[in-house]
Amino acid sequence: MPVTYSSYLKLDELLSLQRPISDGPEHDETLFIVIHQVYELWFKELLHEIDYLKSLLERRDTPRTLHTLKRVLTILKVVVAQIDVLETMTPLEFLSFRERLESGSGFQSFQFRELEFLLGMKNAAALDRYPKGSDPRGRLQRRLSEPTLWDAFLRFLSGSGYDVPPAQLKRDVRASIAPAPELRPLLIDAYRRDPTVASLCERLVDLDEGFQEWRYRHVKMVQRTIGTKRGTGGSEGAEYLMTTLNKPFFPDLWAIRADL
């Protein structure tokens, strides 16, 4: 059989995956399912692109790196904008099927945890939320042991002739990215005399800011939908989400602003 639009995209399978479980079912549950399935597809694409970014930085292919970062940033804008659609659901519309979610929660999204690990926010305890031997746990274990995008960027700088402190190049990649004041003079120098590296740094700041914007919009969406109720997965809901705000992936790129 020749390849068709439907067969290539596996539409029969794809369109069969939206299966509401509420009685009726409730009208708005379909929107809830579609939005979150689309989120997971975008998370998959973001992982794909950021892994590619790491390889481009290793090869010091700056033009392609900047191009791919532009794509990642464009996807991130779509991810943030999807919250506008979700916010068309009123609190009562969500409550009409919320109990049927039982312990299911976005808190359990292993792909979002992968993105956090890949971008430098690592937490080995997050693995405990997934059964031993499961695919999600294996994926997170692998991400925990891999260098982050920031590590790839530091190697890019080193390979481009910048004197990156050896301790930063050999840091424990299982740890989250921590502020490194010894890096800042190097970054300031790059901003002042190397427009290409400065542009790359600014795109990384855009990426960081985009994720912080998504977290903020997510918090506000949860607050307007369920208020101070606990999350369905057992988390503290909006109270927990508030603790994730204002935590940049690349702290040194923010810290140098005061000294440029």
Side-chain angles (χ1 to χ4, degrees):
M1 294 289 291
V3 174
T4 66
Y5 178 81
S6 180
S7 66
Y8 180 70
L9 295 177
K10 304 291 188 293
L11 284 185
D12 289 343
E13 181 180 355
L14 178 65
L15 298 178
S16 71
L17 298 177
Q18 295 74 48
R19 301 173 183 172
I21 59 176
S22 61
D23 295 332
E26 292 292 340
H27 173 76
D28 294 280
E29 189 178 0
T30 296
L31 172 63
F32 186 82
I33 292 171
V34 168
I35 284 285
H36 287 84
Q37 287 181 342
V38 171
Y39 267 132
E40 291 298 331
L41 289 172
W42 280 131
F43 292 163
K44 180 176 183 176
E45 179 62 17
L46 285 169
L47 288 167
H48 177 65
E49 297 294 345
I50 298 172
D51 278 333
Y52 183 48
L53 263 179
K54 287 173 58 180
S55 69
L56 292 171
L57 286 167
E58 294 286 356
R59 301 201 299 266
R60 298 205 297 281
D61 186 344
T62 309
R64 196 70 191 174
T65 296
L66 289 168
H67 172 78
T68 304
L69 267 170
K70 181 180 179 181
R71 176 179 293 175
V72 169
L73 295 172
T74 304
I75 293 170
L76 199 48
K77 288 182 183 294
V78 174
V79 169
V80 173
Q82 282 187 185
I83 293 178
D84 292 335
V85 182
L86 201 53
E87 285 183 338
T88 65
M89 188 185 306
T90 68
L92 289 178
E93 287 168 341
F94 179 53
L95 288 173
S96 70
F97 62 87
R98 183 179 187 245
E99 287 187 359
R100 299 302 298 270
L101 301 178
E102 298 179 358
S103 62
S105 169
F107 187 71
Q108 299 160 347
S109 171
F110 63 85
Q111 286 199 121
F112 189 75
R113 297 296 170 211
E114 281 191 85
L115 280 169
E116 288 185 323
F117 282 19
L118 182 55
L119 292 172
M121 190 174 289
K122 297 194 176 184
N123 177 12
L127 275 67
D128 295 335
R129 302 184 189 119
Y130 307 93
K132 291 183 178 180
S134 66
D135 180 64
R137 187 178 180 119
R139 290 172 60 150
L140 286 172
Q141 183 67 59
R142 195 160 54 250
R143 293 288 183 189
L144 183 65
S145 302
E146 288 177 353
T148 68
L149 178 62
W150 182 250
D151 295 306
F153 175 62
L154 293 183
R155 288 195 295 271
F156 166 85
L157 289 176
S158 179
S160 300
Y162 288 91
D163 189 18
V164 179
Q168 289 299 309
L169 294 173
K170 297 177 181 178
R171 75 173 199 91
D172 179 7
V173 298
R174 294 172 60 90
S176 289
I177 302 299
E182 67 272 22
L183 268 177
R184 295 171 194 171
L186 176 159
L187 294 171
I188 291 170
D189 181 56
Y191 261 89
R192 289 176 174 169
R193 69 179 182 86
D194 192 333
T196 300
V197 172
S199 181
L200 180 53
C201 288
E202 285 297 281
R203 298 297 75 77
L204 290 175
V205 171
D206 288 338
L207 174 60
D208 206 342
E209 185 176 3
F211 267 90
Q212 291 185 63
E213 181 184 3
W214 187 85
R215 291 185 192 277
Y216 174 77
R217 287 295 310 277
H218 187 209
V219 168
K220 302 312 292 184
M221 182 270 294
V222 170
Q223 287 176 331
R224 70 180 287 167
T225 305
I226 65 170
T228 58
K229 292 186 179 77
R230 290 179 63 85
T232 49
S235 77
E236 295 297 325
E239 186 176 339
Y240 160 74
L241 294 173
M242 287 287 289
T243 67
T244 69
L245 300 179
N246 299 315
K247 292 184 177 180
F249 292 122
F250 315 127
D252 292 303
L253 289 179
W254 294 92
I256 63 173
R257 308 282 140 173
D259 298 315
L260 287 174

Short mmCIF file of all heavy atoms in Angstrom, two decimals, residues 17 20 66 76-77 79 91 102 112 118 133 142 152 162 166 215-216 229 231 235 240 244 249:
data_model
loop_
_atom_site.label_atom_id
_atom_site.label_comp_id
_atom_site.label_asym_id
_atom_site.label_seq_id
_atom_site.Cartn_x
_atom_site.Cartn_y
_atom_site.Cartn_z
N LEU A 17 -6.81 7.48 20.95
CA LEU A 17 -6.17 7.56 22.26
C LEU A 17 -6.84 8.55 23.21
O LEU A 17 -6.42 8.66 24.36
CB LEU A 17 -4.70 7.92 22.09
CG LEU A 17 -3.85 6.92 21.30
CD1 LEU A 17 -2.43 7.44 21.13
CD2 LEU A 17 -3.85 5.56 21.98
N PRO A 20 -12.06 9.52 27.37
CA PRO A 20 -12.56 10.03 28.65
C PRO A 20 -13.05 8.89 29.54
O PRO A 20 -13.57 7.88 29.04
CB PRO A 20 -13.71 10.95 28.25
CG PRO A 20 -13.42 11.33 26.82
CD PRO A 20 -12.76 10.12 26.22
N LEU A 66 22.41 28.12 16.68
CA LEU A 66 21.50 29.26 16.82
C LEU A 66 20.17 28.98 16.12
O LEU A 66 19.10 29.35 16.63
CB LEU A 66 22.15 30.52 16.25
CG LEU A 66 23.30 31.08 17.09
CD1 LEU A 66 24.07 32.14 16.31
CD2 LEU A 66 22.78 31.65 18.41
N LEU A 76 8.57 26.48 22.48
CA LEU A 76 8.27 26.85 23.86
C LEU A 76 7.16 27.90 23.91
O LEU A 76 6.31 27.87 24.82
CB LEU A 76 9.54 27.37 24.53
CG LEU A 76 9.60 27.40 26.06
CD1 LEU A 76 9.15 26.09 26.67
CD2 LEU A 76 11.00 27.77 26.51
N LYS A 77 7.13 28.81 22.95
CA LYS A 77 6.05 29.80 22.90
C LYS A 77 4.70 29.12 22.69
O LYS A 77 3.68 29.52 23.28
CB LYS A 77 6.32 30.80 21.77
CG LYS A 77 7.45 31.78 22.06
CD LYS A 77 7.62 32.76 20.91
CE LYS A 77 8.80 33.69 21.15
NZ LYS A 77 8.58 34.58 22.31
N VAL A 79 4.01 26.01 23.60
CA VAL A 79 3.73 25.29 24.86
C VAL A 79 3.10 26.24 25.88
O VAL A 79 2.13 25.90 26.56
CB VAL A 79 5.03 24.67 25.40
CG1 VAL A 79 4.82 24.16 26.82
CG2 VAL A 79 5.48 23.52 24.50
N PRO A 91 -13.52 26.40 36.69
CA PRO A 91 -13.32 25.48 37.81
C PRO A 91 -14.39 24.40 37.90
O PRO A 91 -14.08 23.23 38.15
CB PRO A 91 -13.35 26.42 39.02
CG PRO A 91 -12.87 27.72 38.50
CD PRO A 91 -13.41 27.82 37.10
N GLU A 102 -8.20 10.38 39.93
CA GLU A 102 -7.63 9.66 41.07
C GLU A 102 -6.22 10.18 41.38
O GLU A 102 -6.05 11.34 41.70
CB GLU A 102 -7.66 8.16 40.79
CG GLU A 102 -9.08 7.63 40.61
CD GLU A 102 -9.14 6.14 40.31
OE1 GLU A 102 -8.07 5.52 40.21
OE2 GLU A 102 -10.26 5.62 40.20
N PHE A 112 8.78 15.70 31.29
CA PHE A 112 9.10 17.02 31.83
C PHE A 112 10.27 16.93 32.79
O PHE A 112 11.14 17.81 32.80
CB PHE A 112 7.89 17.64 32.52
CG PHE A 112 8.13 19.08 32.90
CD1 PHE A 112 8.11 20.07 31.94
CD2 PHE A 112 8.40 19.43 34.22
CE1 PHE A 112 8.37 21.40 32.28
CE2 PHE A 112 8.65 20.74 34.57
CZ PHE A 112 8.63 21.74 33.59
N LEU A 118 17.93 17.55 31.68
CA LEU A 118 18.72 17.91 30.51
C LEU A 118 19.17 19.37 30.57
O LEU A 118 20.27 19.72 30.12
CB LEU A 118 17.89 17.66 29.25
CG LEU A 118 18.51 17.93 27.88
CD1 LEU A 118 19.82 17.16 27.71
CD2 LEU A 118 17.53 17.56 26.77
N GLY A 133 12.90 -0.63 37.41
CA GLY A 133 12.79 -1.43 36.20
C GLY A 133 11.87 -0.85 35.16
O GLY A 133 11.80 -1.37 34.04
N ARG A 142 19.28 7.61 33.08
CA ARG A 142 20.21 7.94 32.00
C ARG A 142 20.45 9.45 31.92
O ARG A 142 21.60 9.90 31.78
CB ARG A 142 19.63 7.42 30.68
CG ARG A 142 20.60 7.36 29.52
CD ARG A 142 20.10 6.41 28.45
NE ARG A 142 18.74 6.72 28.00
CZ ARG A 142 17.67 5.97 28.25
NH1 ARG A 142 17.79 4.86 28.97
NH2 ARG A 142 16.48 6.30 27.78
N ALA A 152 27.55 21.12 27.85
CA ALA A 152 27.94 21.16 26.43
C ALA A 152 28.36 22.58 26.04
O ALA A 152 29.30 22.77 25.26
CB ALA A 152 26.78 20.69 25.56
N TYR A 162 38.25 29.86 25.07
CA TYR A 162 38.01 30.50 26.36
C TYR A 162 38.59 29.65 27.50
O TYR A 162 38.53 28.43 27.45
CB TYR A 162 36.52 30.75 26.58
CG TYR A 162 35.96 31.85 25.70
CD1 TYR A 162 35.43 31.55 24.44
CD2 TYR A 162 36.00 33.18 26.11
CE1 TYR A 162 34.94 32.56 23.63
CE2 TYR A 162 35.50 34.19 25.30
CZ TYR A 162 34.98 33.87 24.06
OH TYR A 162 34.50 34.87 23.24
N PRO A 166 38.88 24.53 34.99
CA PRO A 166 38.84 23.05 34.90
C PRO A 166 37.78 22.42 35.78
O PRO A 166 37.18 21.42 35.41
CB PRO A 166 40.25 22.65 35.34
CG PRO A 166 41.10 23.83 35.01
CD PRO A 166 40.24 25.03 35.25
N ARG A 215 6.33 28.00 33.83
CA ARG A 215 6.06 27.65 35.22
C ARG A 215 5.09 28.65 35.86
O ARG A 215 4.16 28.27 36.58
CB ARG A 215 7.36 27.59 36.03
CG ARG A 215 8.28 26.44 35.67
CD ARG A 215 9.48 26.42 36.60
NE ARG A 215 10.54 25.55 36.18
CZ ARG A 215 10.58 24.22 36.42
NH1 ARG A 215 9.57 23.65 37.05
NH2 ARG A 215 11.60 23.50 36.02
N TYR A 216 5.31 29.94 35.60
CA TYR A 216 4.44 30.96 36.18
C TYR A 216 3.01 30.82 35.66
O TYR A 216 2.05 30.84 36.44
CB TYR A 216 4.99 32.36 35.86
CG TYR A 216 4.05 33.46 36.30
CD1 TYR A 216 3.95 33.84 37.64
CD2 TYR A 216 3.23 34.11 35.37
CE1 TYR A 216 3.07 34.84 38.05
CE2 TYR A 216 2.34 35.10 35.77
CZ TYR A 216 2.28 35.46 37.10
OH TYR A 216 1.39 36.43 37.50
N LYS A 229 -6.50 23.74 46.71
CA LYS A 229 -6.69 22.29 46.87
C LYS A 229 -5.38 21.56 46.58
O LYS A 229 -4.54 22.03 45.80
CB LYS A 229 -7.76 21.78 45.91
CG LYS A 229 -9.17 22.24 46.20
CD LYS A 229 -10.13 21.52 45.25
CE LYS A 229 -11.58 21.93 45.53
NZ LYS A 229 -11.88 23.26 44.97
N GLY A 231 -2.98 18.72 44.87
CA GLY A 231 -2.96 18.16 43.54
C GLY A 231 -3.45 16.72 43.54
O GLY A 231 -3.39 16.03 44.56
N SER A 235 0.59 15.95 45.47
CA SER A 235 1.45 17.11 45.72
C SER A 235 0.64 18.19 46.42
O SER A 235 -0.58 18.08 46.60
CB SER A 235 2.00 17.65 44.39
OG SER A 235 1.00 18.39 43.69
N TYR A 240 3.00 23.85 45.99
CA TYR A 240 4.25 23.24 45.54
C TYR A 240 4.78 23.95 44.29
O TYR A 240 5.98 24.25 44.19
CB TYR A 240 4.04 21.76 45.21
CG TYR A 240 5.11 21.20 44.29
CD1 TYR A 240 6.39 20.95 44.78
CD2 TYR A 240 4.87 20.99 42.93
CE1 TYR A 240 7.40 20.49 43.95
CE2 TYR A 240 5.87 20.52 42.09
CZ TYR A 240 7.12 20.27 42.60
OH TYR A 240 8.12 19.83 41.77
N THR A 244 8.70 26.30 42.63
CA THR A 244 9.51 26.07 41.44
C THR A 244 9.81 27.35 40.67
O THR A 244 10.57 27.33 39.70
CB THR A 244 8.81 25.08 40.49
OG1 THR A 244 7.64 25.69 39.92
CG2 THR A 244 8.41 23.80 41.21
N PHE A 249 17.80 27.92 35.16
CA PHE A 249 18.69 26.82 34.81
C PHE A 249 20.13 27.30 34.71
O PHE A 249 21.06 26.56 35.05
CB PHE A 249 18.29 26.22 33.46
CG PHE A 249 16.96 25.51 33.45
CD1 PHE A 249 15.95 25.91 32.59
CD2 PHE A 249 16.72 24.44 34.29
CE1 PHE A 249 14.74 25.25 32.56
CE2 PHE A 249 15.51 23.77 34.28
CZ PHE A 249 14.51 24.18 33.40
#
